[in-house]
């Protein structure tokens, strides 16, 4: 079903299933020799979601090469590591407020070694964030002191929900936006998120994100539609053909630079190099790298 402006989902459906896909890739990345990340939560959560295709991947029954995307664990591992490093660096520089937008099954709010005074906020759809908190709490990993789970659609008034959870816009924040600014929002909501982040960011705030650079604005949607036949044959429940919103999304780095941020936009090959990993050469990854970039920014 095509996306609509007030649609919702869980972790098996629509854009929610992409969170489960990414977690499966992180689970596999965590098992590689000299892993770029160690995410013990990913495998547990993928199993708990119960999408057959991704459960079989974490069980080792099939692997990403059967989906013709053998590069995904490397790519998502490096993306997560880069944004983990961004959050850690910000804390080292004294920032004590962390907001993770569209956190999905990412568990950096649980996983990283946060300074005791660091307040963490994760935001995602209520069905996604409540489910993750419930499952992890049931396994003995309840959110620690200072960790707030905010369930709200990011097309709604999430700044108010964030403030009501204790967020303080007079303090600098590090914002982590992983796997969202890649076509998963309608273009106007994409801009509104960047405006809201800007409005809520005290000077010295930082931002780490991946994003799709225009004009290849629905490049991800086209890529996923091409993969549908192979993935759907392996698991008829998987349908990622309509997870993106078409339309002209603004170039996030330029947009923020015009609104009081110093920004740096890096090509994926440089992101791999920065953490000492070989440049991506798989065809599929070269294609994704041709329309995806990593953004880091500091609010002046
Ligand atoms: N950041 C996580 C990661 O990297 O593992 C999840 C990325 S997943 C590709 C996309 C996430 O965006 C999903 O968790 C989905 O629920 C969330 N998302 C997309 N649109 C959203 C919206 N309008 N409101 C809240 N969350 C949204």
């Amino acid at each position: 079903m095509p996306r609509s402006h007030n649609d919702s989902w869980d972790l098996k459906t629509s854009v929610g299933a992409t969170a489960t896909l990414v977690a499966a890739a992180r689970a596999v990345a965590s098992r590689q020799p000299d892993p770029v990340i160690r995410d013990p939560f990913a495998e547990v959560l993928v199993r708990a979601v119960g999408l057959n295709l991704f459960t079989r991947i974490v069980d080792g029954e099939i692997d990403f090469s059967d989906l013709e995307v053998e590069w995904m664990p490397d790519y998502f591992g490096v993306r997560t590591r880069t944004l983990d490093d961004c959050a850690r660096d910000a804390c080292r520089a004294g920032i004590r407020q962390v907001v993770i937008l569209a956190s999905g099954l990412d568990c950096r709010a649980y996983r990283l070694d946060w300074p005791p005074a660091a307040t963490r906020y994760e935001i995602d759809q209520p069905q996604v964030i409540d489910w993750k908190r419930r499952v992890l709490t049931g396994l003995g990993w309840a959110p620690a002191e200072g960790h707030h789970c905010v369930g709200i659609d990011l097309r709604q008034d999430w700044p108010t929900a964030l403030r009501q959870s204790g967020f303080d816009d007079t303090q600098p924040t590090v914002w982590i936006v992983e796997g969202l600014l890649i076509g998963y929002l309608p273009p106007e909501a994409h801009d509104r998120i960047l405006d809201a982040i800007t409005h809520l960011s005290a000077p010295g705030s930082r931002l780490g994100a991946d994003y799709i650079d225009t004009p290849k604005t629905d490049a991800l949607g086209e890529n996923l539609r091409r993969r549908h036949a192979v993935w759907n044959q392996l698991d008829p429940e998987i349908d990622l053909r309509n997870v993106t919103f078409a339309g002209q999304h603004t170039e996030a780095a330029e947009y923020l630079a015009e609104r009081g941020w110093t920004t740096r936009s890096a090509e994926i090959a440089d992101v791999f190099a920065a953490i000492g990993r070989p440049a991506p050469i798989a065809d599929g990854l070269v294609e994704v790298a041709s329309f995806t970039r990593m953004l880091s920014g500091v609010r002046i």
Side-chain angles (χ1 to χ4, degrees):
M1 212 179 18
R3 298 287 313 270
S4 62
H5 284 266
N6 55 0
D7 56 353
S8 68
W9 50 84
D10 59 20
L11 286 151
K12 286 186 168 182
T13 52
S14 183
V15 67
T18 68
T20 311
L21 162 68
V22 177
R26 272 198 297 266
V28 173
S30 298
R31 290 179 197 152
Q32 286 169 345
D34 184 24
V36 71
I37 47 155
R38 292 173 202 274
D39 181 352
F41 300 97
E43 178 175 336
V44 175
L45 289 172
V46 171
R47 284 220 175 81
V49 171
L51 267 176
N52 185 267
L53 180 64
F54 302 136
T55 303
R56 280 157 70 204
I57 286 182
V58 298
D59 283 346
E61 263 178 52
I62 57 173
D63 62 39
F64 277 100
S65 60
D66 297 309
L67 275 60
E68 300 178 357
V69 285
E70 70 290 348
W71 48 270
M72 276 194 173
D74 285 345
Y75 175 64
F76 289 121
V78 166
R79 185 175 88 174
T80 294
R81 163 69 180 276
T82 303
L83 295 174
D84 283 355
D85 288 349
C86 169
R88 285 193 195 102
D89 288 348
C91 288
R92 258 182 236 121
I95 291 180
R96 290 290 178 269
Q97 195 162 239
V98 184
V99 181
I100 304 162
L101 293 184
S103 56
L105 294 181
D106 159 60
C107 285
R108 60 170 58 84
Y110 296 81
R111 189 167 50 75
L112 299 189
D113 200 7
W114 299 104
T119 319
R120 288 94 61 210
Y121 300 88
E122 331 183 51
I123 309 184
D124 206 300
Q125 273 274 356
Q127 287 189 79
V128 170
I129 207 130
D130 293 345
W131 182 93
K132 182 171 76 174
R133 178 177 43 190
R134 202 171 54 248
V135 169
L136 290 178
T137 299
L139 292 168
W141 291 312
E145 176 82 26
H147 175 175
H148 306 272
C149 302
V150 184
I152 185 165
D153 193 298
L154 288 160
R155 294 165 293 186
Q156 296 174 1
D157 183 11
W158 60 269
T160 297
L162 185 61
R163 283 200 180 93
Q164 284 169 349
S165 299
F167 177 85
D168 177 0
D169 63 14
T170 66
Q171 299 300 316
T173 300
V174 54
W175 302 88
I176 302 296
V177 193
E178 181 174 17
L180 180 69
L181 304 176
I182 52 179
Y184 292 151
L185 292 166
E188 62 282 4
H190 174 103
D191 289 359
R192 273 203 312 273
I193 294 254
L194 299 175
D195 291 338
I197 290 174
T198 300
H199 188 66
L200 294 171
S201 290
S205 294
R206 300 188 185 192
L207 168 77
D210 58 321
Y211 73 101
I212 289 192
D213 57 341
T214 41
K216 301 168 195 156
T217 181
D218 196 27
L220 179 64
E222 286 161 21
N223 191 287
L224 289 169
R225 282 188 282 282
R226 249 189 293 126
R227 305 198 177 286
H228 177 72
V230 171
W231 294 21
N232 190 253
Q233 197 176 25
L234 285 162
D235 181 355
E237 208 178 345
I238 301 286
D239 188 347
L240 301 181
R241 281 175 297 179
N242 290 303
V243 294
T244 54
F245 284 92
Q248 199 71 12
H249 294 77
T250 52
E251 212 271 0
E254 285 172 13
Y255 190 89
L256 289 173
E258 288 160 6
R259 287 163 178 78
W261 292 79
T262 302
T263 59
R264 191 172 153 266
S265 168
E267 300 212 356
I268 298 304
D270 296 332
V271 175
F272 273 63
I275 54 170
R277 300 285 157 159
I281 49 166
D283 287 350
L285 182 49
V286 169
E287 184 194 342
V288 168
S290 75
F291 57 73
T292 313
R293 301 180 71 91
M294 292 293 295
L295 162 64
S296 51
V298 179
R299 180 87 163 105
I300 302 161

